[in-house]
Amino acid sequence: MLHFDFYSPEEELVLPLYELHGIRVFVKRDDLIHPYISGNKWRKLKYPLQQAQKEKKKLLVTFGGAWSNHLLATACAGAKFGFRTYGFVRGEAVDNPVLKLCQIFGMELQFVDRERYRNKTALFDTHFANSTDAFFIDEGGFGMLAAQGCAEITNELSQVYDHCFCACGTGTTLAGLALGLATQQTGTVLHGIPVLKGAGFIRDEIQKLGIIDSSAVQLHLDYHFGGYAKTKPELIEFIKMFAQQTSLLIEPTYTGKLFYALHDLILKRKIERGSTVLMVHTGGLTGLLGMLHKF
Ligand SMILES: *Cc1c(COP(=O)(O)O)cnc(C)c1O
């Protein structure tokens, strides 16, 4: 079946702030899984792609913004596992390094205005009604199969953590972690850092994915820095400090907000002394390509 070996160790991150507060922080290096099928995007694609293969589908059809990590991951995974790929891109036609990479991996791109983009199933149906080859993958990979792939992160852990943090777009990764941690009953407190403004909807989304008791998940809604792909000089400065002190690269859209949130919560003494924390690095560093002018 679809499989590739990958390396995603847990590495301890040493920073003066963590030491000062007596907190040990580890990073699950999902960013090392693959340069383009990066981080949680591989976890989320694994079971949908197996499903597509079982149904003998030949064409993966999916959706994303012009800088979408999910589009790029799907394009590269298609090339790797023998599917053609088709991406609906939100908004007017543009050219950028991420879309270029998608095309190099063979993805056919179709730009659609924001109005029509909203209804993904309608778009799929109008373009692929007569195709027996096409396989629908939702925007960002959202779905139950994707969450199951993300749950596997928790099987790979070498120790029990008091806290686990991840960045949230659709909330699928968070839902998967919640599923995995619930099975293991380790008592780990799960924290989600939504990168969108007004992301209370994530609670409903993860409930849809089968998390009955989403009250066990703590959502921190104040670290979006103005909204999706929005940033502030403070966040950019933080990312530079972080990269220089740890040699770990993070970016402004997801993981920058994630690690900033941990810093802030530690400063506000919301994480108790003596705890261990796992940060899931969900990858997506190609997102930096669209943000370089901010640095
Ligand atoms: C897509 C993405 C996310 C969001 O994951 P969801 O499962 O949609 O919440 C987080 N981090 C990175 C780096 C991503 O590319």
Side-chain angles (χ1 to χ4, degrees), residues 109-127:
L109 301 177
Q110 171 78 48
F111 294 90
V112 285
D113 60 69
R114 278 153 208 277
E115 194 53 43
R116 283 196 305 141
Y117 183 84
R118 231 163 262 150
N119 193 343
K120 317 264 176 329
T121 41
L123 269 180
F124 181 83
D125 289 344
T126 41
H127 283 73

Side-chain angles (χ1 to χ4, degrees), residues 79-91:
K80 190 172 180 69
F81 296 111
F83 297 96
R84 288 181 294 118
T85 53
Y86 190 101
F88 287 103
V89 187
R90 182 183 59 234

Side-chain angles (χ1 to χ4, degrees), residues 16-222:
L17 181 79
Y18 304 161
E19 278 186 77
L20 187 68
H21 290 260
I23 295 163
R24 294 187 70 187
V25 178
F26 295 78
V27 185
K28 176 73 172 148
R29 296 292 309 273
D30 270 13
D31 57 315
L32 298 179
I33 288 180
H34 191 282
Y36 308 113
I37 317 173
S38 178
N40 63 347
K41 298 304 183 281
W42 164 243
R43 308 253 183 211
K44 290 165 80 170
L45 282 170
K46 178 179 165 189
Y47 290 114
L49 262 54
Q50 283 188 2
Q51 185 66 28
Q53 197 179 45
K54 224 179 346 185
E55 295 176 16
K56 304 211 169 359
K57 303 291 189 188
K58 301 277 186 280
L59 176 68
L60 307 175
V61 179
T62 196
F63 310 82
W67 291 96
S68 165
N69 295 331
H70 165 72
L71 278 183
L72 178 54
T74 307
C76 185
K80 190 172 180 69
F81 296 111
F83 297 96
R84 288 181 294 118
T85 53
Y86 190 101
F88 287 103
V89 187
R90 182 183 59 234
E92 64 285 4
V94 288
D95 197 8
N96 73 40
V98 169
L99 292 177
K100 222 16 143 217
L101 286 169
C102 289
Q103 287 172 312
I104 291 173
F105 286 121
M107 181 175 262
E108 189 179 335
L109 301 177
Q110 171 78 48
F111 294 90
V112 285
D113 60 69
R114 278 153 208 277
E115 194 53 43
R116 283 196 305 141
Y117 183 84
R118 231 163 262 150
N119 193 343
K120 317 264 176 329
T121 41
L123 269 180
F124 181 83
D125 289 344
T126 41
H127 283 73
F128 298 101
N130 300 319
S131 162
T132 51
D133 278 349
F135 186 82
F136 177 95
I137 300 177
D138 210 342
E139 178 175 37
F142 177 76
M144 193 59 223
L145 287 176
Q148 280 161 7
C150 295
E152 293 178 352
I153 294 173
T154 62
N155 304 335
E156 297 166 15
L157 303 180
S158 63
Q159 56 171 305
V160 170
Y161 294 93
D162 298 311
H163 299 274
C164 173
F165 282 79
C166 78
C168 308
T170 64
T172 307
T173 305
L174 184 72
L177 288 167
L179 281 172
L181 291 171
T183 328
Q184 297 184 345
Q185 297 199 304
T186 52
T188 305
V189 181
L190 182 59
H191 303 258
I193 309 298
V195 303
L196 291 88
K197 198 163 29 186
F201 74 89
I202 285 186
R203 208 168 274 291
D204 305 331
E205 293 298 297
I206 65 177
Q207 232 134 18
K208 275 188 220 157
L209 295 175
I211 313 302
I212 316 302
D213 183 17
S214 73
S215 61
V217 178
Q218 293 196 19
L219 285 180
H220 302 276
L221 299 175
D222 299 330

